[in-house]
Amino acid sequence: MKTFETIEGGVCAAKGFKASGTYCGIKKWGAGGEVPDGNESPVSSTKNDIAMLFADVPCNTAGVYTSNKVKGAPVIVTKNNLVKSGGKAQAVIVNSGNANTCNADGEEKALEMCRLTGEALGIPSEQVIVASTGVIGQVLPIEPIRNAVPELVKKLSYDGNIEAATAIMTTDTVKKEYAVKFTIDGKECHMGGMAKGSGMIHPNMATTLNFITTDCAVSAEMLQKVLSETVRITYNCLSVDGDQSTNDTCMLMSSGLAGNKEISSVDGDFETFRDALYQVMANLTRMLAKDGEGASRLITCVCSSAPDLDTAIIAAKSVIRSPLVKTAIFGADANCGRIACALGYAETDIDVNKFDIFLSSAAGKIQTYEKGMSIEFSEDTAKKILLEDEIEILIELNSGDASVTAWGCDLTYDYVKINGDYRS
Amino acid sequence: MKTFETIEGGVCAAKGFKASGTYCGIKKWGAGGEVPDGNESPVSSTKNDIAMLFADVPCNTAGVYTSNKVKGAPVIVTKNNLVKSGGKAQAVIVNSGNANTCNADGEEKALEMCRLTGEALGIPSEQVIVASTGVIGQVLPIEPIRNAVPELVKKLSYDGNIEAATAIMTTDTVKKEYAVKFTIDGKECHMGGMAKGSGMIHPNMATTLNFITTDCAVSAEMLQKVLSETVRITYNCLSVDGDQSTNDTCMLMSSGLAGNKEISSVDGDFETFRDALYQVMANLTRMLAKDGEGASRLITCVCSSAPDLDTAIIAAKSVIRSPLVKTAIFGADANCGRIACALGYAETDIDVNKFDIFLSSAAGKIQTYEKGMSIEFSEDTAKKILLEDEIEILIELNSGDASVTAWGCDLTYDYVKINGDYRS
């Protein structure tokens, strides 16, 4: 797989994308960013709670959405809009602080957000993508959004990416942006994304809000294909707490302004584009895991020599999801029996007499299991390895050639604190 | 469903069952029960770490075991023993502090435990059930067990149930025993059980060690049938942390000494026996949930008016398992959007436009969702309800007649503490 030079600019890195963000009053702290009385939870570093993206031209747009049967109204409206518009979108409106889910008037409000945005930008409302994130089951106030749209339009800028990336945060403690440049058909192309998500994060599907833009010209069909394939091995290999959100949305928009010949089949250019997308999405996924609610350690689980990709994904995710593995890593305890246990209950056909387990970090690497059985290792070395901030659990299934990386984090007191104290 | 009078005696309540327990040195604290330096975790109130059961006669015996592909050596040996003995067992040997799982010499050690027990009791070793619980992947020392067997035999007593019930505890803070009496064929029958389990608890299968004895005569075939059916709606509806153990074992032994005509078909007597078994197992399950690692609140989720039992079970378990629901209950926060979310990602066909959600406890009952949408409710009343020790989440799917109860607990700082600090 190729890797590419990273660049600044996030969701505005590609040609033709403006962004903006502001505070409209949906998030429950004051306009100065202060935490309300009695709420001691960490909050995002910004007061922004509503963001807008606007492309210079209508974009080929692909989407992947939550598979939760309880779907947020914005998910339903966005899907319908893209059907109506023939897969074209030119703008995004997204709020944090309220998921607009399980509300009797949810779809009406989500449609109104599109209408207000389309009207202000002079585009058809079905070319607007709408997303919301926050508390489920509380009525979304539309007035603050109505009041904010003119300001969002006015603030739109080719370097508004940070304003937008911070506006979509909920319990996130850092913004998540990543961008690369690459060459297709002799033209310099750019791709960048922003993501949010800290709790209620689990596959399937993106389990967060993710917006990725590119100026590389790609056909609608190829765009959907590459997005679906890449979601499977990036966002869908992420688990913070095993809870799958109702509002997960991942959008990929192509302005085509790089001037390349449109990618319309699976060729070398497609592969380059796919590698660039993997790099952007894998890095955003890693940021999401590292900023998982209450996380003190990033856990990367690499499952290799699997009989096929599905087996690798299921095995790696089972380990990443296990509360007992997560608490052991929090305690820097090399209790690898818990990893073996999670491999054993993974819902796939693993040969339990073949797997090896290794622990690795900047401090070193050791093997703890061989052919499904525990082996002797230095507890001191293991402790040193596990006291680092970023831990790798390496699993060799010794049954084939497939491999995958999954991302997660430890389970800490702060996860309990954040979710016990705060209606997030 | 009939309910029956509860009695004392636990696993010795039925005629013909003796039990004993002692400390042999496998658990890592001292013989006086003191906690080793640096280990501040709660430990069981007893120092015992090995137990024996012995029946006056060979018993028809049914078993249900973990479906984890990584199986503890004792699980493999017990299953093989019962095949060899034609479903008859007369004794049980069980240790805590070491799971004897993922060890290269695990089966050899488990077989040796059976051999030592059979020899000391004068019965064939294949009529011995062996079980182990504790840390995975550490070599089980056999010498302490060899030394303890004569003492266990000597201490065997018709009121040794408490010695045994405490010996199988790991991070449990209380012993779990329950017994009832009932009448079959004009004869007074008794049934009692003991269970252990606090962490690494999740369906499928019992996710704990469970031993149930009865003097009611039941054929081997009916015994297996009633056990499998009852496990499905009791232990398999329990989740503490979503981790499924490698060593789960549930055994039901019938001495037949009550003198009734053997139950050998699905008739009225079978139904009475089934109701008695449900009462014993449901109450043990409830005790396991209430004593879940770090738990401060028992959560009971009753899913009613489901189209079928499977749907009810999957829905109720999805709610009970959700870390976000568990932390909300810990925080006494009526964040029922998380319950709706867990219903939505439950892997079954729920009509998300029909479900109602209620919260209930000794302090009252309120409805929070109707037809899949949030409705207004008093936050004050909800808070009062959720501040009780035992919380009921009631879900009406409004789609049929099936219903089930699932049991779980809140997710607290102490869960993280116990599992981060202690190689349990």
Side-chain angles (χ1 to χ4, degrees), chain A residues 68-69 102 137 241 243-244 322-323 333 341 344-346 348 374 379 423, chain B residues 68-69 102 137 241 243-244 322-323 333 341 344-346 348 374 379 423:
Chain A
N68 195 310
K69 284 179 286 295
C102 292
D241 54 17
D243 273 290
Q244 186 199 22
S322 159
D333 180 9
C341 177
Y345 66 68
T348 186
S374 67
E379 289 280 352
R423 194 164 299 183
Chain B
N68 195 311
K69 283 177 287 293
C102 293
D241 54 16
D243 273 291
Q244 188 199 22
S322 160
D333 180 8
C341 177
Y345 66 67
T348 185
S374 68
E379 290 280 352
R423 193 164 300 185

PDB file of all heavy atoms in Angstrom, chain A residues 68-69 102 137 241 243-244 322-323 333 341 344-346 348 374 379 423, chain B residues 68-69 102 137 241 243-244 322-323 333 341 344-346 348 374 379 423:
ATOM      1  N   ASN A  68     -27.780   0.571  12.850  1.00  0.00           N
ATOM      2  CA  ASN A  68     -28.726   0.537  13.972  1.00  0.00           C
ATOM      3  C   ASN A  68     -30.136   0.725  13.420  1.00  0.00           C
ATOM      4  O   ASN A  68     -30.371   1.589  12.575  1.00  0.00           O
ATOM      5  CB  ASN A  68     -28.386   1.660  14.960  1.00  0.00           C
ATOM      6  CG  ASN A  68     -29.075   1.481  16.313  1.00  0.00           C
ATOM      7  OD1 ASN A  68     -30.280   1.261  16.376  1.00  0.00           O
ATOM      8  ND2 ASN A  68     -28.311   1.585  17.383  1.00  0.00           N
ATOM      9  N   LYS A  69     -31.070  -0.115  13.875  1.00  0.00           N
ATOM     10  CA  LYS A  69     -32.443  -0.003  13.362  1.00  0.00           C
ATOM     11  C   LYS A  69     -33.125   1.269  13.856  1.00  0.00           C
ATOM     12  O   LYS A  69     -34.032   1.795  13.216  1.00  0.00           O
ATOM     13  CB  LYS A  69     -33.244  -1.243  13.749  1.00  0.00           C
ATOM     14  CG  LYS A  69     -32.881  -2.454  12.896  1.00  0.00           C
ATOM     15  CD  LYS A  69     -33.650  -3.693  13.288  1.00  0.00           C
ATOM     16  CE  LYS A  69     -33.165  -4.295  14.586  1.00  0.00           C
ATOM     17  NZ  LYS A  69     -31.776  -4.822  14.554  1.00  0.00           N
ATOM     18  N   CYS A 102     -35.211   9.664  17.781  1.00  0.00           N
ATOM     19  CA  CYS A 102     -36.336   9.244  18.630  1.00  0.00           C
ATOM     20  C   CYS A 102     -37.220  10.437  18.996  1.00  0.00           C
ATOM     21  O   CYS A 102     -37.838  10.445  20.067  1.00  0.00           O
ATOM     22  CB  CYS A 102     -35.883   8.533  19.904  1.00  0.00           C
ATOM     23  SG  CYS A 102     -35.128   6.931  19.602  1.00  0.00           S
ATOM     24  N   GLY A 137     -33.275  11.570  21.973  1.00  0.00           N
ATOM     25  CA  GLY A 137     -34.596  11.643  22.608  1.00  0.00           C
ATOM     26  C   GLY A 137     -34.906  12.971  23.269  1.00  0.00           C
ATOM     27  O   GLY A 137     -35.741  13.031  24.161  1.00  0.00           O
ATOM     28  N   ASP A 241     -16.621   1.453  23.057  1.00  0.00           N
ATOM     29  CA  ASP A 241     -17.411   0.875  24.143  1.00  0.00           C
ATOM     30  C   ASP A 241     -18.417  -0.184  23.703  1.00  0.00           C
ATOM     31  O   ASP A 241     -19.181  -0.671  24.522  1.00  0.00           O
ATOM     32  CB  ASP A 241     -18.127   1.972  24.933  1.00  0.00           C
ATOM     33  CG  ASP A 241     -18.964   2.877  24.033  1.00  0.00           C
ATOM     34  OD1 ASP A 241     -19.243   2.493  22.895  1.00  0.00           O
ATOM     35  OD2 ASP A 241     -19.339   3.961  24.485  1.00  0.00           O
ATOM     36  N   ASP A 243     -20.985   0.181  21.993  1.00  0.00           N
ATOM     37  CA  ASP A 243     -22.319   0.697  21.708  1.00  0.00           C
ATOM     38  C   ASP A 243     -22.331   1.313  20.322  1.00  0.00           C
ATOM     39  O   ASP A 243     -21.532   2.186  20.009  1.00  0.00           O
ATOM     40  CB  ASP A 243     -22.702   1.761  22.747  1.00  0.00           C
ATOM     41  CG  ASP A 243     -23.336   1.142  23.968  1.00  0.00           C
ATOM     42  OD1 ASP A 243     -24.462   0.655  23.849  1.00  0.00           O
ATOM     43  OD2 ASP A 243     -22.699   1.142  25.030  1.00  0.00           O
ATOM     44  N   GLN A 244     -23.277   0.872  19.488  1.00  0.00           N
ATOM     45  CA  GLN A 244     -23.333   1.386  18.130  1.00  0.00           C
ATOM     46  C   GLN A 244     -24.344   2.518  18.049  1.00  0.00           C
ATOM     47  O   GLN A 244     -25.515   2.347  18.338  1.00  0.00           O
ATOM     48  CB  GLN A 244     -23.723   0.282  17.156  1.00  0.00           C
ATOM     49  CG  GLN A 244     -23.636   0.760  15.723  1.00  0.00           C
ATOM     50  CD  GLN A 244     -24.426  -0.105  14.793  1.00  0.00           C
ATOM     51  OE1 GLN A 244     -25.338  -0.794  15.197  1.00  0.00           O
ATOM     52  NE2 GLN A 244     -24.087  -0.036  13.527  1.00  0.00           N
ATOM     53  N   SER A 322     -13.321  -6.246  24.266  1.00  0.00           N
ATOM     54  CA  SER A 322     -13.458  -6.909  25.569  1.00  0.00           C
ATOM     55  C   SER A 322     -13.194  -5.960  26.745  1.00  0.00           C
ATOM     56  O   SER A 322     -12.098  -5.424  26.899  1.00  0.00           O
ATOM     57  CB  SER A 322     -12.464  -8.074  25.652  1.00  0.00           C
ATOM     58  OG  SER A 322     -12.229  -8.414  27.005  1.00  0.00           O
ATOM     59  N   PRO A 323     -14.174  -5.761  27.624  1.00  0.00           N
ATOM     60  CA  PRO A 323     -13.947  -4.921  28.799  1.00  0.00           C
ATOM     61  C   PRO A 323     -12.813  -5.432  29.682  1.00  0.00           C
ATOM     62  O   PRO A 323     -12.096  -4.641  30.280  1.00  0.00           O
ATOM     63  CB  PRO A 323     -15.276  -4.995  29.552  1.00  0.00           C
ATOM     64  CG  PRO A 323     -16.294  -5.382  28.540  1.00  0.00           C
ATOM     65  CD  PRO A 323     -15.572  -6.266  27.571  1.00  0.00           C
ATOM     66  N   ASP A 333      -1.494  -4.631  33.079  1.00  0.00           N
ATOM     67  CA  ASP A 333      -1.386  -6.014  33.541  1.00  0.00           C
ATOM     68  C   ASP A 333      -1.412  -6.950  32.323  1.00  0.00           C
ATOM     69  O   ASP A 333      -2.385  -6.960  31.570  1.00  0.00           O
ATOM     70  CB  ASP A 333      -2.574  -6.308  34.478  1.00  0.00           C
ATOM     71  CG  ASP A 333      -2.554  -7.731  35.021  1.00  0.00           C
ATOM     72  OD1 ASP A 333      -1.551  -8.435  34.816  1.00  0.00           O
ATOM     73  OD2 ASP A 333      -3.543  -8.126  35.651  1.00  0.00           O
ATOM     74  N   CYS A 341      -9.249 -15.551  25.715  1.00  0.00           N
ATOM     75  CA  CYS A 341     -10.680 -15.736  25.957  1.00  0.00           C
ATOM     76  C   CYS A 341     -11.503 -14.998  24.905  1.00  0.00           C
ATOM     77  O   CYS A 341     -12.454 -15.545  24.343  1.00  0.00           O
ATOM     78  CB  CYS A 341     -11.004 -15.248  27.368  1.00  0.00           C
ATOM     79  SG  CYS A 341     -12.748 -15.329  27.815  1.00  0.00           S
ATOM     80  N   GLY A 344     -11.487 -16.707  21.725  1.00  0.00           N
ATOM     81  CA  GLY A 344     -12.298 -17.917  21.772  1.00  0.00           C
ATOM     82  C   GLY A 344     -13.778 -17.657  21.592  1.00  0.00           C
ATOM     83  O   GLY A 344     -14.493 -18.487  21.035  1.00  0.00           O
ATOM     84  N   TYR A 345     -14.257 -16.504  22.075  1.00  0.00           N
ATOM     85  CA  TYR A 345     -15.685 -16.247  21.900  1.00  0.00           C
ATOM     86  C   TYR A 345     -15.981 -15.379  20.671  1.00  0.00           C
ATOM     87  O   TYR A 345     -17.138 -15.072  20.402  1.00  0.00           O
ATOM     88  CB  TYR A 345     -16.351 -15.706  23.170  1.00  0.00           C
ATOM     89  CG  TYR A 345     -15.935 -14.334  23.673  1.00  0.00           C
ATOM     90  CD1 TYR A 345     -16.229 -13.176  22.974  1.00  0.00           C
ATOM     91  CD2 TYR A 345     -15.305 -14.194  24.901  1.00  0.00           C
ATOM     92  CE1 TYR A 345     -15.875 -11.925  23.455  1.00  0.00           C
ATOM     93  CE2 TYR A 345     -14.940 -12.951  25.404  1.00  0.00           C
ATOM     94  CZ  TYR A 345     -15.232 -11.825  24.666  1.00  0.00           C
ATOM     95  OH  TYR A 345     -14.874 -10.594  25.139  1.00  0.00           O
ATOM     96  N   ALA A 346     -14.952 -14.995  19.924  1.00  0.00           N
ATOM     97  CA  ALA A 346     -15.185 -14.284  18.664  1.00  0.00           C
ATOM     98  C   ALA A 346     -16.036 -15.155  17.752  1.00  0.00           C
ATOM     99  O   ALA A 346     -15.800 -16.362  17.653  1.00  0.00           O
ATOM    100  CB  ALA A 346     -13.848 -13.972  17.985  1.00  0.00           C
ATOM    101  N   THR A 348     -16.360 -16.427  14.948  1.00  0.00           N
ATOM    102  CA  THR A 348     -15.763 -16.854  13.695  1.00  0.00           C
ATOM    103  C   THR A 348     -14.974 -18.120  13.950  1.00  0.00           C
ATOM    104  O   THR A 348     -14.781 -18.527  15.093  1.00  0.00           O
ATOM    105  CB  THR A 348     -14.863 -15.743  13.110  1.00  0.00           C
ATOM    106  OG1 THR A 348     -14.418 -16.142  11.827  1.00  0.00           O
ATOM    107  CG2 THR A 348     -13.678 -15.462  14.013  1.00  0.00           C
ATOM    108  N   SER A 374      -0.418 -20.549  26.980  1.00  0.00           N
ATOM    109  CA  SER A 374       0.425 -19.535  27.597  1.00  0.00           C
ATOM    110  C   SER A 374       1.858 -20.044  27.658  1.00  0.00           C
ATOM    111  O   SER A 374       2.098 -21.241  27.818  1.00  0.00           O
ATOM    112  CB  SER A 374      -0.077 -19.223  28.998  1.00  0.00           C
ATOM    113  OG  SER A 374       0.094 -20.325  29.840  1.00  0.00           O
ATOM    114  N   GLU A 379       7.473 -10.798  33.406  1.00  0.00           N
ATOM    115  CA  GLU A 379       6.423  -9.875  33.840  1.00  0.00           C
ATOM    116  C   GLU A 379       6.952  -8.442  33.883  1.00  0.00           C
ATOM    117  O   GLU A 379       6.221  -7.492  33.614  1.00  0.00           O
ATOM    118  CB  GLU A 379       5.888 -10.272  35.224  1.00  0.00           C
ATOM    119  CG  GLU A 379       5.050 -11.551  35.231  1.00  0.00           C
ATOM    120  CD  GLU A 379       3.604 -11.340  34.762  1.00  0.00           C
ATOM    121  OE1 GLU A 379       3.194 -10.180  34.579  1.00  0.00           O
ATOM    122  OE2 GLU A 379       2.904 -12.349  34.576  1.00  0.00           O
ATOM    123  N   ARG A 423     -25.266  13.493  30.695  1.00  0.00           N
ATOM    124  CA  ARG A 423     -26.149  12.983  29.659  1.00  0.00           C
ATOM    125  C   ARG A 423     -25.584  13.354  28.302  1.00  0.00           C
ATOM    126  O   ARG A 423     -25.974  14.328  27.682  1.00  0.00           O
ATOM    127  CB  ARG A 423     -27.573  13.507  29.833  1.00  0.00           C
ATOM    128  CG  ARG A 423     -28.550  12.733  28.974  1.00  0.00           C
ATOM    129  CD  ARG A 423     -29.975  12.933  29.366  1.00  0.00           C
ATOM    130  NE  ARG A 423     -30.251  12.492  30.715  1.00  0.00           N
ATOM    131  CZ  ARG A 423     -31.474  12.533  31.237  1.00  0.00           C
ATOM    132  NH1 ARG A 423     -32.494  12.954  30.528  1.00  0.00           N
ATOM    133  NH2 ARG A 423     -31.655  12.143  32.465  1.00  0.00           N
TER     134      ARG A 423
ATOM    135  N   ASN B  68     -17.449 -20.873  24.320  1.00  0.00           N
ATOM    136  CA  ASN B  68     -16.164 -20.281  23.934  1.00  0.00           C
ATOM    137  C   ASN B  68     -15.294 -21.374  23.296  1.00  0.00           C
ATOM    138  O   ASN B  68     -15.214 -22.482  23.811  1.00  0.00           O
ATOM    139  CB  ASN B  68     -15.461 -19.707  25.174  1.00  0.00           C
ATOM    140  CG  ASN B  68     -14.306 -18.773  24.834  1.00  0.00           C
ATOM    141  OD1 ASN B  68     -13.446 -19.095  24.024  1.00  0.00           O
ATOM    142  ND2 ASN B  68     -14.286 -17.612  25.458  1.00  0.00           N
ATOM    143  N   LYS B  69     -14.666 -21.030  22.152  1.00  0.00           N
ATOM    144  CA  LYS B  69     -13.855 -22.042  21.475  1.00  0.00           C
ATOM    145  C   LYS B  69     -12.577 -22.361  22.258  1.00  0.00           C
ATOM    146  O   LYS B  69     -12.021 -23.446  22.152  1.00  0.00           O
ATOM    147  CB  LYS B  69     -13.510 -21.593  20.055  1.00  0.00           C
ATOM    148  CG  LYS B  69     -14.694 -21.751  19.105  1.00  0.00           C
ATOM    149  CD  LYS B  69     -14.399 -21.238  17.710  1.00  0.00           C
ATOM    150  CE  LYS B  69     -14.348 -19.733  17.653  1.00  0.00           C
ATOM    151  NZ  LYS B  69     -15.632 -19.047  17.897  1.00  0.00           N
ATOM    152  N   CYS B 102      -5.687 -22.874  28.790  1.00  0.00           N
ATOM    153  CA  CYS B 102      -4.543 -22.453  27.969  1.00  0.00           C
ATOM    154  C   CYS B 102      -3.215 -22.922  28.555  1.00  0.00           C
ATOM    155  O   CYS B 102      -2.185 -22.250  28.378  1.00  0.00           O
ATOM    156  CB  CYS B 102      -4.513 -20.935  27.757  1.00  0.00           C
ATOM    157  SG  CYS B 102      -5.869 -20.317  26.757  1.00  0.00           S
ATOM    158  N   GLY B 137      -4.253 -19.260  31.926  1.00  0.00           N
ATOM    159  CA  GLY B 137      -2.894 -19.274  31.383  1.00  0.00           C
ATOM    160  C   GLY B 137      -1.793 -19.317  32.424  1.00  0.00           C
ATOM    161  O   GLY B 137      -0.672 -18.923  32.150  1.00  0.00           O
ATOM    162  N   ASP B 241     -20.361  -8.211  32.085  1.00  0.00           N
ATOM    163  CA  ASP B 241     -19.420  -7.392  31.319  1.00  0.00           C
ATOM    164  C   ASP B 241     -19.300  -7.776  29.856  1.00  0.00           C
ATOM    165  O   ASP B 241     -18.468  -7.219  29.152  1.00  0.00           O
ATOM    166  CB  ASP B 241     -18.036  -7.392  31.979  1.00  0.00           C
ATOM    167  CG  ASP B 241     -17.510  -8.811  32.198  1.00  0.00           C
ATOM    168  OD1 ASP B 241     -18.037  -9.747  31.587  1.00  0.00           O
ATOM    169  OD2 ASP B 241     -16.572  -8.957  32.988  1.00  0.00           O
ATOM    170  N   ASP B 243     -18.069 -10.356  28.608  1.00  0.00           N
ATOM    171  CA  ASP B 243     -16.992 -11.300  28.332  1.00  0.00           C
ATOM    172  C   ASP B 243     -17.450 -12.709  28.678  1.00  0.00           C
ATOM    173  O   ASP B 243     -17.881 -12.972  29.790  1.00  0.00           O
ATOM    174  CB  ASP B 243     -15.745 -10.954  29.156  1.00  0.00           C
ATOM    175  CG  ASP B 243     -14.874  -9.938  28.453  1.00  0.00           C
ATOM    176  OD1 ASP B 243     -14.283 -10.294  27.432  1.00  0.00           O
ATOM    177  OD2 ASP B 243     -14.810  -8.799  28.924  1.00  0.00           O
ATOM    178  N   GLN B 244     -17.327 -13.611  27.713  1.00  0.00           N
ATOM    179  CA  GLN B 244     -17.771 -14.979  27.957  1.00  0.00           C
ATOM    180  C   GLN B 244     -16.602 -15.836  28.386  1.00  0.00           C
ATOM    181  O   GLN B 244     -15.621 -15.974  27.674  1.00  0.00           O
ATOM    182  CB  GLN B 244     -18.396 -15.568  26.695  1.00  0.00           C
ATOM    183  CG  GLN B 244     -19.032 -16.905  26.980  1.00  0.00           C
ATOM    184  CD  GLN B 244     -19.248 -17.694  25.718  1.00  0.00           C
ATOM    185  OE1 GLN B 244     -18.601 -17.467  24.723  1.00  0.00           O
ATOM    186  NE2 GLN B 244     -20.140 -18.643  25.794  1.00  0.00           N
ATOM    187  N   SER B 322     -25.206  -3.129  27.395  1.00  0.00           N
ATOM    188  CA  SER B 322     -24.696  -1.837  26.934  1.00  0.00           C
ATOM    189  C   SER B 322     -23.925  -1.077  28.022  1.00  0.00           C
ATOM    190  O   SER B 322     -24.482  -0.723  29.056  1.00  0.00           O
ATOM    191  CB  SER B 322     -25.866  -0.970  26.466  1.00  0.00           C
ATOM    192  OG  SER B 322     -25.476   0.392  26.454  1.00  0.00           O
ATOM    193  N   PRO B 323     -22.637  -0.794  27.788  1.00  0.00           N
ATOM    194  CA  PRO B 323     -21.881  -0.006  28.763  1.00  0.00           C
ATOM    195  C   PRO B 323     -22.508   1.362  29.024  1.00  0.00           C
ATOM    196  O   PRO B 323     -22.432   1.877  30.138  1.00  0.00           O
ATOM    197  CB  PRO B 323     -20.508   0.146  28.111  1.00  0.00           C
ATOM    198  CG  PRO B 323     -20.413  -0.962  27.131  1.00  0.00           C
ATOM    199  CD  PRO B 323     -21.807  -1.211  26.643  1.00  0.00           C
ATOM    200  N   ASP B 333     -29.052   8.347  35.970  1.00  0.00           N
ATOM    201  CA  ASP B 333     -29.442   9.290  34.916  1.00  0.00           C
ATOM    202  C   ASP B 333     -30.409   8.578  33.963  1.00  0.00           C
ATOM    203  O   ASP B 333     -30.064   7.574  33.359  1.00  0.00           O
ATOM    204  CB  ASP B 333     -28.173   9.732  34.164  1.00  0.00           C
ATOM    205  CG  ASP B 333     -28.471  10.723  33.047  1.00  0.00           C
ATOM    206  OD1 ASP B 333     -29.620  11.190  32.944  1.00  0.00           O
ATOM    207  OD2 ASP B 333     -27.537  11.025  32.277  1.00  0.00           O
ATOM    208  N   CYS B 341     -31.220   3.031  21.797  1.00  0.00           N
ATOM    209  CA  CYS B 341     -30.073   2.750  20.925  1.00  0.00           C
ATOM    210  C   CYS B 341     -29.701   1.271  20.995  1.00  0.00           C
ATOM    211  O   CYS B 341     -29.481   0.626  19.967  1.00  0.00           O
ATOM    212  CB  CYS B 341     -28.899   3.638  21.345  1.00  0.00           C
ATOM    213  SG  CYS B 341     -27.373   3.372  20.428  1.00  0.00           S
ATOM    214  N   GLY B 344     -32.023  -0.803  19.165  1.00  0.00           N
ATOM    215  CA  GLY B 344     -31.845  -0.632  17.723  1.00  0.00           C
ATOM    216  C   GLY B 344     -30.720  -1.459  17.161  1.00  0.00           C
ATOM    217  O   GLY B 344     -30.776  -1.907  16.018  1.00  0.00           O
ATOM    218  N   TYR B 345     -29.640  -1.650  17.956  1.00  0.00           N
ATOM    219  CA  TYR B 345     -28.544  -2.462  17.413  1.00  0.00           C
ATOM    220  C   TYR B 345     -28.626  -3.924  17.839  1.00  0.00           C
ATOM    221  O   TYR B 345     -27.755  -4.718  17.466  1.00  0.00           O
ATOM    222  CB  TYR B 345     -27.166  -1.839  17.695  1.00  0.00           C
ATOM    223  CG  TYR B 345     -26.694  -1.742  19.131  1.00  0.00           C
ATOM    224  CD1 TYR B 345     -26.404  -2.864  19.888  1.00  0.00           C
ATOM    225  CD2 TYR B 345     -26.491  -0.503  19.716  1.00  0.00           C
ATOM    226  CE1 TYR B 345     -25.938  -2.761  21.187  1.00  0.00           C
ATOM    227  CE2 TYR B 345     -26.023  -0.386  21.019  1.00  0.00           C
ATOM    228  CZ  TYR B 345     -25.749  -1.519  21.753  1.00  0.00           C
ATOM    229  OH  TYR B 345     -25.294  -1.423  23.034  1.00  0.00           O
ATOM    230  N   ALA B 346     -29.635  -4.290  18.605  1.00  0.00           N
ATOM    231  CA  ALA B 346     -29.837  -5.711  18.935  1.00  0.00           C
ATOM    232  C   ALA B 346     -29.996  -6.490  17.641  1.00  0.00           C
ATOM    233  O   ALA B 346     -30.692  -6.046  16.730  1.00  0.00           O
ATOM    234  CB  ALA B 346     -31.077  -5.867  19.810  1.00  0.00           C
ATOM    235  N   THR B 348     -31.706  -8.546  16.063  1.00  0.00           N
ATOM    236  CA  THR B 348     -32.973  -9.221  15.864  1.00  0.00           C
ATOM    237  C   THR B 348     -33.933  -8.238  15.229  1.00  0.00           C
ATOM    238  O   THR B 348     -33.648  -7.051  15.132  1.00  0.00           O
ATOM    239  CB  THR B 348     -33.515  -9.776  17.193  1.00  0.00           C
ATOM    240  OG1 THR B 348     -34.685 -10.532  16.933  1.00  0.00           O
ATOM    241  CG2 THR B 348     -33.838  -8.638  18.155  1.00  0.00           C
ATOM    242  N   SER B 374     -39.223   9.341  22.277  1.00  0.00           N
ATOM    243  CA  SER B 374     -39.154   9.828  23.648  1.00  0.00           C
ATOM    244  C   SER B 374     -40.415  10.618  23.970  1.00  0.00           C
ATOM    245  O   SER B 374     -40.997  11.271  23.099  1.00  0.00           O
ATOM    246  CB  SER B 374     -37.927  10.720  23.826  1.00  0.00           C
ATOM    247  OG  SER B 374     -38.084  11.911  23.095  1.00  0.00           O
ATOM    248  N   GLU B 379     -38.122  14.344  35.435  1.00  0.00           N
ATOM    249  CA  GLU B 379     -36.739  13.964  35.732  1.00  0.00           C
ATOM    250  C   GLU B 379     -36.566  13.690  37.231  1.00  0.00           C
ATOM    251  O   GLU B 379     -35.772  12.831  37.617  1.00  0.00           O
ATOM    252  CB  GLU B 379     -35.770  15.072  35.292  1.00  0.00           C
ATOM    253  CG  GLU B 379     -35.632  15.223  33.784  1.00  0.00           C
ATOM    254  CD  GLU B 379     -34.696  14.185  33.143  1.00  0.00           C
ATOM    255  OE1 GLU B 379     -34.023  13.435  33.878  1.00  0.00           O
ATOM    256  OE2 GLU B 379     -34.667  14.121  31.900  1.00  0.00           O
ATOM    257  N   ARG B 423      -5.072  -9.443  38.761  1.00  0.00           N
ATOM    258  CA  ARG B 423      -5.136 -10.488  37.754  1.00  0.00           C
ATOM    259  C   ARG B 423      -6.126 -11.548  38.220  1.00  0.00           C
ATOM    260  O   ARG B 423      -5.753 -12.558  38.786  1.00  0.00           O
ATOM    261  CB  ARG B 423      -3.761 -11.076  37.481  1.00  0.00           C
ATOM    262  CG  ARG B 423      -3.777 -11.936  36.220  1.00  0.00           C
ATOM    263  CD  ARG B 423      -2.413 -12.219  35.691  1.00  0.00           C
ATOM    264  NE  ARG B 423      -1.680 -11.025  35.343  1.00  0.00           N
ATOM    265  CZ  ARG B 423      -0.489 -11.055  34.775  1.00  0.00           C
ATOM    266  NH1 ARG B 423       0.079 -12.199  34.486  1.00  0.00           N
ATOM    267  NH2 ARG B 423       0.119  -9.928  34.500  1.00  0.00           N
TER     268      ARG B 423
END
